[in-house]
Amino acid sequence: MVHLDLRKIGDAGVAVLRMDNPPVNSIGSQVRVALGERLAAALADDTVQAIVLTGTGKFFCSGADIREFNTPKTQIRPLLRELIATVETAGKPIVAAINGTALGGGLELTLGCHGRVASEDAKLGLPEVKLGVLPGAGGTQRLPRVVGVPAALNIIVEGEPLTAQQALECGLVDEVAADPVEAACRLALEIRRGERASRAIDPAPLGDVVPANVFEEARRNAQRRYRGCIAPQECIACIEKTLHTDLQTGLTFEAERFKFLVEGDQSKAQRHIFFAERKAAKLPTSAPAAEVRSVGVIGAGTMGGGIAMSLVNAGIPVVLFEQSEEALQRGLGVIQKNYEVSRKRGRFTQEEIDARLALIRRSLDYSDLADVDLVIEAAFEDMQVKKDIFAKLDQACKKDAILATNTSRLDINEIAAVTSRPAQVLGMHFFSPANVMRLLEVVKGARTADTVLATVFRLAQRIGKIPVLVGVCDGFVGNRMVSHYTREAYFLLEEGCTPAQVDGALRRFGMAMGPLQMQDMAGLDISWAARKRQAATRPAHLRYSKVADRICEMGRFGQKTGSGFYRYEAGSREPIPDPEIDALIAQCAAEAGITRREISDEEIVARTIYALVNEAARIVQDGIAQRPSDIDVVYVAGYGFPMFRGGPMFYADTVGLPKVLETIRQFHAEHGQYWEPAPLLVELAESGRRFSDL
Ligand code: NAD
């Protein structure tokens, strides 16, 4: 757990304490106990003049063991705070040799040290805010005293790690070295001999080192960027404490605020999502993954362009195939424009962009796809178009190539059936914009082979996506659920709401965007086409809202036509309520014989979110998703569901399934068949279980 190595440097002795807790060197209760013992031994040993703390492999220490949160193990002494205090007040210099990643509690440990040396590839950060908590072992009190208030605000509230070079520039580390342990031993002895100043923290209040509005502005920014999240605000409050309170008082305040957050629903939800993402990435198979060396992308439209960018960003060569030179030019133009925006924002240099563009080979000929390992089709959403393409791909591509479709809703098995290789056909459902959104629904067809899934999962991770395994059905997981959510939004309009009221209630709930605004963004024509397709099989006795159809009939397809549920000024995405739409809604309601009424935010949220939950329960029961937590990942990563509510399933568990069921039964009685409770929900609620028990 913690190794002690005594080194002789000249005539001085240095104790090197090396934490070793694979795989990520987290600092759980066992490591704390071992480190406490080793530290005490080194401090008591008269032959030891200085101490160096380091880690193993790529990790200095990745932070506290999250699995121990809210368990008695966190109370096993020494606590991390106590260990850091021992380091800070030690009679011998203690220097951190940050050999790799130092995150959270790991970085906080180094802040108690008297010097810090980082390896060239080290990453240093306090990402606690992403788990809905704050750095609770002194990070909010010591970091501002080391790097200043503005840098500390940035590091703690954003939660993004710094590179070694950035850490050096802001004074977080004293040196960057190829051999950090060797450099740290030297630095520790120099401090011991008084040749270098110790970086021990000055416990006095910092005073008014920044203008008063810095914190106001930080609060406003955090409020805007992390709407509804309480952890960023608590981080800011703790940092503000450093101005006028001493270290000890600040640490007590920080510990209280940490306790408040770690015991709250938001942090539980965020930790749930953290583990859910990791669980989703595990396939129920140990089949081997093959290497994907190059990829063909069919269609250079909205999705194809974004998919191509994701691939070349990870250094994977792409053959970008289109049906005409004109379409190809248009698609490449959009890709270039997107990269240009990134360059202006400082994300990529021109050389980096050129290198990426050079990886894209343009193609109008299927024979160019003969050697690719994988093809991702992103042509029009039309079964016949897709079948034609897959038949041609089957002819053109090498025998072991994988053929994937980015279809949003179509039957993968029907597409696979036109090929001679159904085991190598699957869905790869990216989300728009595909170069930004991290979710990837990996759709397993009836005959898709396990090795194909393993290969695609590995590729997904290589290009920075979060893959979730789903089964074939209309809309897979995400879009199948969203149909129920938007249906209720349309019904609420007829029953008395305005679009702004529905969207506002859901934004206040925490959704990144309301359902109607989302429809306007995606394009109303897309769901209109789907509804027309489904019209023939839609049972006549079921309620159907004509609002969206009527809006489309007016030629209003959302943002792309400058109007939909809202209107838009040229070049703006800001939705503006439109009285014409209010009148249309009232007319549709009158035609359907609906008396409009006052509707509360609470009802809007229950009607839409429980519609998601009820359908999700059916999806789990049908085996379309592997586990409820996968659905949470889909909704948080792909549909703007608030991370601090943990996804629809976790949210339902938090509300309590009996209560959710009771409300759904009430809706069933009032609104009819759509609300028939999902059998799985009934079973769980009535047996006192939760989705998370499955
Ligand atoms: P799009 O209309 O922007 O692009 C489609 C492109 O495919 C066009 O450039 C077209 O020229 C090209 N194309 C059409 N037929 C072709 C053929 N036979 N050979 C080569 N190229 C051909 O559409 P999009 O929004 O990018 O959607 C593409 C696919 O992705 C659809 O199946 C859609 O359902 C799915 N999808 C879309 C979104 C979204 O938000 N737009 C999200 C997820 C999935």
Side-chain angles (χ1 to χ4, degrees):
M1 283 265 144
V2 179
H3 309 277
L4 193 158
D5 164 31
L6 279 176
R7 295 199 182 183
K8 209 77 192 144
I9 298 175
D11 52 5
V14 180
V16 177
L17 306 188
R18 181 166 62 81
M19 294 176 278
D20 183 11
N21 183 27
V24 294
N25 233 356
S26 64
I27 185 164
S29 48
Q30 289 184 330
V31 177
R32 291 201 309 272
V33 169
L35 187 56
E37 286 168 7
R38 293 278 188 257
L39 202 54
L43 287 170
D45 185 341
D46 289 339
T47 67
V48 170
Q49 266 85 53
I51 299 169
V52 164
L53 269 183
T54 193
T56 304
K58 290 184 170 166
F59 292 92
F60 172 79
C61 171
S62 63
D65 186 340
I66 305 164
R67 284 167 213 276
E68 291 189 354
F69 278 21
N70 295 355
T71 72
K73 285 192 175 164
T74 50
Q75 299 312 316
I76 295 175
R77 318 243 336 233
L79 307 180
L80 185 54
R81 289 181 201 123
E82 295 169 336
L83 260 181
I84 296 172
T86 307
V87 169
E88 192 162 50
T89 54
K92 300 174 185 179
I94 303 182
V95 171
I98 303 167
N99 54 299
T101 300
L103 295 178
L107 184 65
E108 289 177 295
L109 179 59
T110 75
L111 291 171
C113 293
H114 309 119
R116 284 167 290 277
V117 178
S119 65
E120 284 149 5
D121 59 354
K123 274 200 315 195
L124 305 91
L126 294 174
E128 283 84 346
V129 72
K130 299 194 171 182
L131 295 175
V133 289
L134 51 75
T140 68
Q141 301 306 298
R142 290 192 181 88
L143 189 65
R145 288 175 160 91
V146 172
V147 300
V149 168
L153 274 171
N154 188 35
I155 294 167
I156 294 174
V157 179
E158 299 301 318
E160 289 299 325
L162 304 184
T163 62
Q165 198 52 39
Q166 290 166 326
L168 184 66
E169 280 159 21
C170 72
L172 177 53
V173 300
D174 305 291
E175 287 178 36
V176 174
D179 183 346
V181 172
E182 188 262 344
C185 288
R186 182 180 34 71
L187 175 60
L189 289 175
E190 285 168 1
I191 295 173
R192 171 85 193 212
R193 293 193 294 262
E195 294 161 14
R196 287 275 288 269
S198 160
R199 297 286 307 281
I201 302 264
D202 178 354
L206 286 172
D208 291 315
V209 287
V210 288
N213 67 356
V214 163
F215 289 96
E216 271 325 298
E217 205 171 301
R219 284 195 181 91
R220 261 201 317 276
N221 281 342
Q223 171 68 23
R224 208 185 51 238
R225 286 180 42 128
Y226 311 105
R227 194 157 39 82
C229 293
I230 51 178
Q233 301 295 337
E234 293 288 346
C235 289
I236 296 168
C238 286
I239 298 170
E240 195 171 16
K241 276 279 160 196
T242 58
L243 301 191
H244 303 296
T245 47
D246 61 40
L247 180 64
Q248 210 46 54
T249 317
L251 289 175
T252 309
F253 180 77
E254 181 198 80
E256 272 166 23
R257 301 325 295 162
F258 178 82
K259 184 166 183 300
F260 163 73
L261 289 176
V262 82
E263 289 173 357
D265 286 343
Q266 288 203 355
S267 125
K268 285 186 193 140
Q270 285 178 245
R271 277 178 276 150
H272 161 75
I273 282 294
F274 178 85
F275 288 119
E277 277 184 16
R278 278 150 188 79
K279 228 186 273 166
K282 292 207 174 79
L283 274 175
T285 161
S286 52
E291 181 82 28
V292 174
R293 284 159 307 223
S294 65
V295 179
V297 174
I298 310 297
T302 311
M303 295 307 290
I307 294 167
M309 287 175 76
S310 296
L311 292 161
V312 297
N313 284 345
I316 301 167
V318 165
V319 179
L320 186 59
F321 176 91
E322 256 294 350
Q323 54 182 351
S324 71
E325 178 60 34
E326 194 193 343
L328 194 51
Q329 283 298 345
R330 197 175 46 235
L332 282 165
V334 174
I335 292 176
Q336 270 163 347
K337 221 169 72 198
N338 287 338
Y339 275 130
E340 185 55 26
V341 171
S342 307
R343 191 186 62 77
K344 285 194 180 132
R345 290 194 182 140
R347 259 200 74 206
F348 296 128
T349 63
Q350 191 57 51
E351 291 81 72
E352 285 169 330
I353 294 173
D354 292 344
R356 285 164 169 76
L357 291 174
L359 286 175
I360 301 179
R361 180 174 158 206
R362 323 147 30 104
S363 166
L364 294 169
D365 189 339
Y366 276 97
S367 65
D368 295 334
L369 298 160
D371 290 330
V372 297
D373 296 319
L374 163 72
V375 177
I376 304 171
E377 170 276 322
F380 300 136
E381 183 76 342
D382 179 292
M383 184 51 99
Q384 201 46 54
V385 169
K386 301 219 189 265
K387 280 184 175 172
D388 288 348
I389 292 174
F390 272 72
K392 288 188 182 126
L393 288 173
D394 194 38
Q395 294 292 317
C397 297
K398 64 183 179 189
K399 245 178 50 222
D400 56 351
I402 297 172
L403 307 181
T405 168
N406 181 45
T407 178
S408 309
R409 292 184 166 272
L410 299 176
D411 185 344
I412 312 274
N413 296 327
E414 205 179 322
I415 298 173
V418 304
T419 72
S420 62
R421 58 178 101 188
Q424 283 147 256
V425 176
L426 81 168
M428 287 177 75
H429 184 213
F430 289 82
F431 289 73
S432 177
N435 55 317
V436 176
M437 296 293 285
R438 296 190 58 214
L439 179 63
L440 177 68
E441 284 185 334
V442 177
V443 193
K444 180 181 186 324
R447 296 179 59 185
T448 311
D450 285 351
T451 53
V452 169
L453 296 176
T455 301
V456 167
F457 261 58
R458 182 188 298 160
L459 173 74
Q461 282 158 337
R462 213 172 131 200
I463 63 175
K465 303 293 178 202
I466 304 169
V468 179
L469 186 65
V470 303
V472 175
C473 65
D474 187 347
F476 316 124
V477 168
N479 285 340
R480 171 168 160 184
M481 282 164 67
V482 102
S483 308
H484 296 258
Y485 175 73
T486 43
R487 177 198 72 222
E488 287 304 311
Y490 298 160
F491 287 171
L492 285 162
L493 293 178
E494 291 179 330
E495 288 168 40
C497 296
T498 61
Q501 193 189 349
V502 172
D503 286 346
L506 283 155
R507 271 204 315 277
R508 285 187 286 281
F509 173 78
M511 298 300 291
M513 208 182 265
L516 304 164
Q517 202 187 343
M518 186 174 82
Q519 289 291 311
D520 268 3
M521 191 188 71
L524 300 185
D525 51 327
I526 310 233
S527 40
W528 193 27
R531 286 195 300 277
K532 284 191 216 162
R533 253 201 328 269
Q534 292 153 354
T537 53
R538 188 181 304 123
H541 65 283
L542 279 181
R543 179 177 167 189
Y544 179 77
S545 166
K546 293 200 173 111
V547 172
D549 295 352
R550 296 279 276 276
I551 294 178
C552 289
E553 283 161 19
M554 295 159 82
R556 300 173 64 131
F557 294 159
Q559 287 186 13
K560 60 179 150 192
T561 56
S563 64
F565 282 98
Y566 299 89
R567 60 185 187 81
Y568 299 85
E569 301 284 355
S572 161
R573 290 169 187 273
E574 185 62 33
I576 304 168
D578 189 342
E580 207 180 325
I581 292 301
D582 295 343
L584 175 86
I585 292 168
Q587 195 190 332
C588 287
E591 285 169 17
I594 296 166
T595 313
R596 285 165 64 78
R597 61 188 168 95
E598 278 288 313
I599 297 178
S600 66
D601 273 17
E602 195 188 341
E603 180 175 345
I604 296 171
V605 169
R607 287 273 294 276
T608 48
I609 302 292
Y610 291 175
L612 288 178
V613 172
N614 204 33
E615 190 59 20
R618 291 205 160 84
I619 286 176
V620 173
Q621 196 162 15
D622 294 351
I624 294 296
Q626 283 193 85
R627 43 182 99 81
S629 66
D630 282 6
I631 294 178
D632 288 336
V633 173
V634 167
Y635 261 73
V636 170
Y639 291 83
F641 198 95
M643 164 123 67
F644 65 80
R645 295 197 193 270
M649 310 310 266
F650 188 85
Y651 173 68
D653 276 349
T654 310
V655 172
L657 296 191
K659 181 153 176 242
V660 173
L661 178 61
E662 189 193 319
T663 312
I664 288 181
R665 283 188 165 141
Q666 219 172 307
F667 290 157
H668 190 202
E670 283 166 27
H671 302 284
Q673 190 177 340
Y674 283 122
W675 282 102
E676 173 138 17
L680 178 66
L681 176 64
V682 175
E683 187 192 320
L684 290 175
E686 290 181 347
S687 60
R689 287 183 300 156
R690 305 180 310 165
F691 286 120
S692 59
D693 295 328
L694 291 175

